[in-house]
Amino acid sequence: MQQINSDPRRKLYEAALAAPVFDSPPGESWALLPRGTSPSRPVPLGSKAYQSWLCAMSEEKLGLLPTPAILNFTIKARHRDSSNCEDENRQVALRMFRTEGGDIHFHLGCDSGHCLKITNEGWEVEDTPDYLHFRYPETRLPIPKPINANASLQALLAQSMGEDAAEPLTKWLIKTICQVEPAGPLLITGEGRHRAALSLVSLLDARHVITNEPNFEDDWLLLYAELSLIKGGRLDRLNFYAIHRMRPVVITSEKAVAGLDVTQINVSSVTQIDIATALGALASAVSAAIRAPLAASLSPSPL
């Protein structure tokens, strides 16, 4: 780090060291804000939350609010620190983190910090590893802990949303969690589209909200919007968000739409599905999907 000549700058920088910094896989800089006995809160270095924390530290250490110049200097210095961080194991996750080996950690949003860990051998609910820091707002509802009932995901979806929708929806959900290939947006049509979308939101993110203005800074799941209310340019951004950032996007429409590169399902009616059972079935299906290419690579080559 460059030499700090100004004493206030030095003091605020030293105070900022109380929040460890690191780069996330996409290359964004983050800080872990201490919160007493509660788990540290990961926030982007450019966020208002981090700036507010720096101001509070300045009042505590310097007895005054920092000038914009001192604040910007400290943030830039911590940006450099994060890019030079040697602890490569520290990762920040949004809702889900996928390791290079294919293991998946899916945050359940509960106060205990438990996450769903899915591997090629199966799944289990466990404490979040020390090197993972999930960003999950406290105002969101937790997803129920999954139940291992050996239920078929496709069979559950067929009972809930119909036979025709079950297979493509199962494939879309598995792609969404595995993140090996882009799942693309999901378009749900028919009279039962809103209830179907709410069921998926409950399964993946537990937010019961419909949005007409998609939020592209969302943590993980982009809340669904009615297609007729989405402006043309935003539809392109939805596709980019789904494919390039590997995020699940759900859109609803009264009728089928031709020419869209999306997974389309038609749902006329919805029977309530048990989210805990469905999440367990989804985890089992994802585990099988992770295991499949490994098993194929170990099979003898045909003569």
Side-chain angles (χ1 to χ4, degrees), residues 160-161 194-204 270-271 273 275:
S160 175
M161 303 180 194
H194 294 309
R195 287 196 63 189
L198 280 173
S199 295
L200 292 178
V201 170
S202 299
L203 177 62
L204 295 176
V270 176
T271 302
I273 188 172
I275 299 301

Side-chain angles (χ1 to χ4, degrees), residues 43-293:
V43 298
L45 284 184
S47 66
K48 291 182 179 179
Y50 185 68
Q51 293 183 36
S52 297
W53 180 79
L54 278 182
C55 288
M57 295 298 287
S58 180
E59 286 189 284
E60 178 182 335
K61 302 295 183 181
L62 308 178
L64 51 83
L65 288 175
T67 64
I70 294 177
L71 197 64
N72 290 335
F73 179 88
T74 306
I75 292 175
K76 288 180 180 179
R78 296 304 278 154
H79 267 291
R80 287 192 294 272
D81 292 343
S82 68
S83 63
N84 295 327
C85 181
E86 296 180 356
D87 187 357
E88 297 180 354
N89 285 327
R90 281 198 175 275
Q91 304 283 3
V92 62
L94 300 178
R95 162 51 74 83
M96 185 175 71
F97 182 79
R98 184 179 184 275
T99 68
E100 292 184 0
D103 295 351
I104 295 167
H105 295 85
F106 190 84
H107 185 36
L108 297 176
C110 51
D111 292 336
S112 63
H114 287 155
C115 67
L116 170 61
K117 181 181 180 182
I118 309 173
T119 71
N120 63 324
E121 297 180 351
W123 61 265
E124 61 182 341
V125 176
E126 63 171 28
D127 292 335
T128 299
D130 292 338
Y131 60 86
L132 284 183
H133 307 286
F134 286 104
R135 180 165 64 94
Y136 189 73
E138 298 171 355
T139 56
R140 308 282 165 78
L141 298 174
I143 294 177
K145 289 185 179 181
I147 296 175
N148 194 352
N150 295 321
S152 163
L153 177 62
Q154 185 168 328
L156 288 175
L157 294 175
Q159 294 173 9
S160 175
M161 303 180 194
E163 292 283 351
D164 292 340
E167 183 176 355
L169 182 54
T170 297
K171 292 180 179 179
W172 182 85
L173 283 168
I174 292 174
K175 283 184 180 180
T176 291
I177 302 298
C178 283
Q179 291 191 331
V180 175
E181 57 181 312
L186 173 69
L187 178 64
I188 308 177
T189 63
E191 294 182 1
R193 63 189 183 278
H194 294 309
R195 287 196 63 189
L198 280 173
S199 295
L200 292 178
V201 170
S202 299
L203 177 62
L204 295 176
D205 213 299
R207 280 177 285 180
H208 301 79
V209 180
I210 303 173
T211 177
N212 296 333
E213 294 293 331
N215 175 13
F216 294 95
E217 300 303 322
D218 187 63
D219 290 349
W220 189 61
L221 175 70
L222 186 66
L223 299 185
Y224 67 94
E226 186 74 8
L227 182 61
S228 61
L229 300 176
I230 300 176
K231 298 176 183 178
R234 284 183 172 266
L235 188 57
D236 292 336
R237 292 182 67 192
L238 282 172
N239 278 283
F240 180 87
Y241 187 93
I243 294 174
H244 293 278
R245 296 193 64 182
M246 305 292 277
R247 299 286 190 262
V249 171
V250 181
I251 310 170
T252 56
S253 175
E254 183 179 1
K255 298 179 181 179
V257 182
L260 291 182
D261 187 17
V262 298
T263 297
Q264 291 196 40
I265 61 171
N266 183 273
V267 180
S268 57
S269 62
V270 176
T271 302
Q272 186 173 356
I273 188 172
D274 181 76
I275 299 301
T277 304
L279 185 56
L282 174 59
S284 297
V286 169
S287 177
I290 297 174
R291 184 166 57 249

